[in-house]
């Protein structure tokens, strides 16, 4: 694996991360068709929240209807932010749809180990990270290249990577939702996984096959039972669509 050189800070600047998180806390809550039950915000997925009062009691409130509830909730979250002892603790406070965006803003303040933790965790826990609007495909690839691969993977993943051939066959399943993004960073070593993705949501999607040199694979992730590999999509060769008759319903994947 070759990668771009980046000089990471020797230590994570936790104070700067907390300042960033507190700034994001002040963002307006975005409504959805299912509000107040479902909203969009870096620190809550719902407008209906529990508030910890000063006496330790817990009360329920609606962030959209009561300014005092919104104020109390922000004070609760602010306390959690300020009491966080690690970068990982801060990341866990951020809702999944905003984690890659938080990573983008947090990168200047992270040491390499914490950057690896942020990237691997958010990648595995984000739905369709290849299509996230906060980080372009080019930016994501640059981030993967800038981190030592051994820091991104656990022992089992490193062992699988080491066992790969110099040229690896990979697969990707797409539906009408992401058909335009066939050449993405995320592929799998397991064709049945690709078939599952091509046929989920009841769709009759497409499975692609390609080859990539091992040196252009930047991580192997097993956390979702997908045998996922992160590749440079511009380094794929022999990209082809598997014939329809060879595609099946695939296996069940744990999401």
């Amino acid at each position: 694996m070759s990668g771009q050189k980046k000089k990471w800070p020797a230590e994570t600047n936790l104070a700067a991360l907390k300042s960033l998180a507190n700034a994001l806390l002040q963002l307006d809550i975005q409504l959805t068709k299912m509000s107040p039950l479902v909203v969009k915000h870096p620190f809550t997925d719902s407008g209906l929240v529990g508030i910890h009062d000063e006496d330790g009691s817990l009360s329920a409130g609606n962030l959209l209807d009561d300014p005092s509830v919104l104020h109390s909730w922000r004070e609760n979250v602010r306390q959690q932010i300020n009491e966080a002892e690690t970068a990982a603790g801060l990341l866990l406070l951020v809702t999944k749809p905003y984690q890659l965006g938080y990573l983008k803003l947090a990168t200047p303040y992270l040491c390499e180990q914490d950057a690896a933790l942020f990237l691997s965790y958010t990648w595995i826990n984000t739905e369709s990270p290849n299509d996230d609007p906060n980080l372009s495909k080019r930016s994501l690839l640059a981030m993967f290249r800038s981190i030592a691969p051994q820091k991104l993977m656990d022992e089992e993943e490193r062992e699988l990577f080491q066992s790969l051939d110099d040229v690896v066959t990979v697969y990707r399943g797409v539906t009408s939702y992401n058909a335009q993004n066939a050449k993405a960073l995320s592929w799998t070593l397991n064709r049945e996984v690709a078939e599952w993705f091509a046929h989920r949501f009841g769709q009759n999607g497409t499975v692609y096959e390609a080859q990539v040199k091992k040196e252009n694979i930047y991580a192997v992730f097993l956390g979702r039972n997908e045998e996922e590999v992160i590749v440079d999509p511009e380094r794929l060769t022999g990209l082809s669509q598997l014939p329809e008759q060879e595609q099946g319903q695939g296996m069940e994947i744990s999401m």
Side-chain angles (χ1 to χ4, degrees), residues 176-187:
S176 60
Y177 172 77
N178 60 347
Q180 76 288 349
N181 197 19
K183 292 185 69 174
L185 279 69
S186 180
W187 289 68

PDB file of all heavy atoms in Angstrom, residues 176-187:
ATOM      1  N   SER A 176     -30.651   1.110  -8.356  1.00  0.00           N
ATOM      2  CA  SER A 176     -30.933   2.362  -9.049  1.00  0.00           C
ATOM      3  C   SER A 176     -30.532   3.560  -8.198  1.00  0.00           C
ATOM      4  O   SER A 176     -30.257   4.641  -8.719  1.00  0.00           O
ATOM      5  CB  SER A 176     -32.427   2.453  -9.387  1.00  0.00           C
ATOM      6  OG  SER A 176     -33.227   2.397  -8.196  1.00  0.00           O
ATOM      7  N   TYR A 177     -30.471   3.357  -6.871  1.00  0.00           N
ATOM      8  CA  TYR A 177     -30.130   4.456  -5.960  1.00  0.00           C
ATOM      9  C   TYR A 177     -28.693   4.933  -6.172  1.00  0.00           C
ATOM     10  O   TYR A 177     -28.413   6.132  -6.134  1.00  0.00           O
ATOM     11  CB  TYR A 177     -30.323   3.985  -4.518  1.00  0.00           C
ATOM     12  CG  TYR A 177     -29.833   4.967  -3.476  1.00  0.00           C
ATOM     13  CD1 TYR A 177     -30.578   6.102  -3.156  1.00  0.00           C
ATOM     14  CD2 TYR A 177     -28.618   4.772  -2.815  1.00  0.00           C
ATOM     15  CE1 TYR A 177     -30.135   7.009  -2.210  1.00  0.00           C
ATOM     16  CE2 TYR A 177     -28.168   5.677  -1.873  1.00  0.00           C
ATOM     17  CZ  TYR A 177     -28.920   6.789  -1.568  1.00  0.00           C
ATOM     18  OH  TYR A 177     -28.470   7.679  -0.642  1.00  0.00           O
ATOM     19  N   ASN A 178     -27.763   4.002  -6.380  1.00  0.00           N
ATOM     20  CA  ASN A 178     -26.350   4.388  -6.488  1.00  0.00           C
ATOM     21  C   ASN A 178     -25.692   3.868  -7.757  1.00  0.00           C
ATOM     22  O   ASN A 178     -24.468   3.729  -7.808  1.00  0.00           O
ATOM     23  CB  ASN A 178     -25.571   3.900  -5.266  1.00  0.00           C
ATOM     24  CG  ASN A 178     -25.611   2.383  -5.105  1.00  0.00           C
ATOM     25  OD1 ASN A 178     -26.397   1.699  -5.757  1.00  0.00           O
ATOM     26  ND2 ASN A 178     -24.764   1.861  -4.240  1.00  0.00           N
ATOM     27  N   ALA A 179     -26.489   3.613  -8.769  1.00  0.00           N
ATOM     28  CA  ALA A 179     -25.942   3.064 -10.011  1.00  0.00           C
ATOM     29  C   ALA A 179     -24.916   3.979 -10.652  1.00  0.00           C
ATOM     30  O   ALA A 179     -23.990   3.525 -11.338  1.00  0.00           O
ATOM     31  CB  ALA A 179     -27.073   2.773 -10.993  1.00  0.00           C
ATOM     32  N   GLN A 180     -25.070   5.287 -10.428  1.00  0.00           N
ATOM     33  CA  GLN A 180     -24.133   6.238 -11.023  1.00  0.00           C
ATOM     34  C   GLN A 180     -22.780   6.227 -10.316  1.00  0.00           C
ATOM     35  O   GLN A 180     -21.824   6.864 -10.784  1.00  0.00           O
ATOM     36  CB  GLN A 180     -24.728   7.660 -10.989  1.00  0.00           C
ATOM     37  CG  GLN A 180     -24.697   8.345  -9.634  1.00  0.00           C
ATOM     38  CD  GLN A 180     -25.667   7.785  -8.626  1.00  0.00           C
ATOM     39  OE1 GLN A 180     -26.539   6.992  -8.968  1.00  0.00           O
ATOM     40  NE2 GLN A 180     -25.539   8.191  -7.374  1.00  0.00           N
ATOM     41  N   ASN A 181     -22.685   5.515  -9.206  1.00  0.00           N
ATOM     42  CA  ASN A 181     -21.454   5.510  -8.416  1.00  0.00           C
ATOM     43  C   ASN A 181     -20.852   4.109  -8.365  1.00  0.00           C
ATOM     44  O   ASN A 181     -20.412   3.647  -7.313  1.00  0.00           O
ATOM     45  CB  ASN A 181     -21.741   6.021  -6.998  1.00  0.00           C
ATOM     46  CG  ASN A 181     -20.466   6.432  -6.266  1.00  0.00           C
ATOM     47  OD1 ASN A 181     -19.428   6.683  -6.885  1.00  0.00           O
ATOM     48  ND2 ASN A 181     -20.532   6.484  -4.950  1.00  0.00           N
ATOM     49  N   ALA A 182     -20.836   3.440  -9.507  1.00  0.00           N
ATOM     50  CA  ALA A 182     -20.277   2.082  -9.544  1.00  0.00           C
ATOM     51  C   ALA A 182     -18.792   2.089  -9.196  1.00  0.00           C
ATOM     52  O   ALA A 182     -18.300   1.202  -8.494  1.00  0.00           O
ATOM     53  CB  ALA A 182     -20.497   1.469 -10.922  1.00  0.00           C
ATOM     54  N   LYS A 183     -18.064   3.107  -9.676  1.00  0.00           N
ATOM     55  CA  LYS A 183     -16.630   3.189  -9.369  1.00  0.00           C
ATOM     56  C   LYS A 183     -16.428   3.979  -8.074  1.00  0.00           C
ATOM     57  O   LYS A 183     -16.029   5.141  -8.086  1.00  0.00           O
ATOM     58  CB  LYS A 183     -15.877   3.826 -10.544  1.00  0.00           C
ATOM     59  CG  LYS A 183     -15.837   2.960 -11.787  1.00  0.00           C
ATOM     60  CD  LYS A 183     -14.969   3.581 -12.868  1.00  0.00           C
ATOM     61  CE  LYS A 183     -13.502   3.578 -12.493  1.00  0.00           C
ATOM     62  NZ  LYS A 183     -12.627   4.052 -13.589  1.00  0.00           N
ATOM     63  N   ALA A 184     -16.723   3.317  -6.968  1.00  0.00           N
ATOM     64  CA  ALA A 184     -16.600   3.931  -5.650  1.00  0.00           C
ATOM     65  C   ALA A 184     -15.401   3.347  -4.914  1.00  0.00           C
ATOM     66  O   ALA A 184     -14.688   2.482  -5.433  1.00  0.00           O
ATOM     67  CB  ALA A 184     -17.881   3.711  -4.858  1.00  0.00           C
ATOM     68  N   LEU A 185     -15.183   3.815  -3.687  1.00  0.00           N
ATOM     69  CA  LEU A 185     -14.066   3.316  -2.890  1.00  0.00           C
ATOM     70  C   LEU A 185     -14.374   1.951  -2.288  1.00  0.00           C
ATOM     71  O   LEU A 185     -13.463   1.187  -1.977  1.00  0.00           O
ATOM     72  CB  LEU A 185     -13.740   4.291  -1.747  1.00  0.00           C
ATOM     73  CG  LEU A 185     -12.898   5.522  -2.043  1.00  0.00           C
ATOM     74  CD1 LEU A 185     -13.645   6.526  -2.899  1.00  0.00           C
ATOM     75  CD2 LEU A 185     -12.472   6.187  -0.736  1.00  0.00           C
ATOM     76  N   SER A 186     -15.643   1.656  -2.096  1.00  0.00           N
ATOM     77  CA  SER A 186     -16.068   0.483  -1.337  1.00  0.00           C
ATOM     78  C   SER A 186     -16.415  -0.688  -2.248  1.00  0.00           C
ATOM     79  O   SER A 186     -17.371  -0.620  -3.027  1.00  0.00           O
ATOM     80  CB  SER A 186     -17.280   0.857  -0.474  1.00  0.00           C
ATOM     81  OG  SER A 186     -17.713  -0.242   0.275  1.00  0.00           O
ATOM     82  N   TRP A 187     -15.649  -1.782  -2.108  1.00  0.00           N
ATOM     83  CA  TRP A 187     -15.883  -3.016  -2.842  1.00  0.00           C
ATOM     84  C   TRP A 187     -15.831  -4.168  -1.848  1.00  0.00           C
ATOM     85  O   TRP A 187     -15.570  -3.961  -0.673  1.00  0.00           O
ATOM     86  CB  TRP A 187     -14.845  -3.198  -3.960  1.00  0.00           C
ATOM     87  CG  TRP A 187     -15.042  -2.229  -5.096  1.00  0.00           C
ATOM     88  CD1 TRP A 187     -14.860  -0.879  -5.057  1.00  0.00           C
ATOM     89  CD2 TRP A 187     -15.485  -2.535  -6.411  1.00  0.00           C
ATOM     90  NE1 TRP A 187     -15.162  -0.309  -6.266  1.00  0.00           N
ATOM     91  CE2 TRP A 187     -15.539  -1.300  -7.131  1.00  0.00           C
ATOM     92  CE3 TRP A 187     -15.832  -3.703  -7.075  1.00  0.00           C
ATOM     93  CZ2 TRP A 187     -15.937  -1.234  -8.457  1.00  0.00           C
ATOM     94  CZ3 TRP A 187     -16.221  -3.640  -8.407  1.00  0.00           C
ATOM     95  CH2 TRP A 187     -16.280  -2.420  -9.087  1.00  0.00           C
TER      96      TRP A 187
END
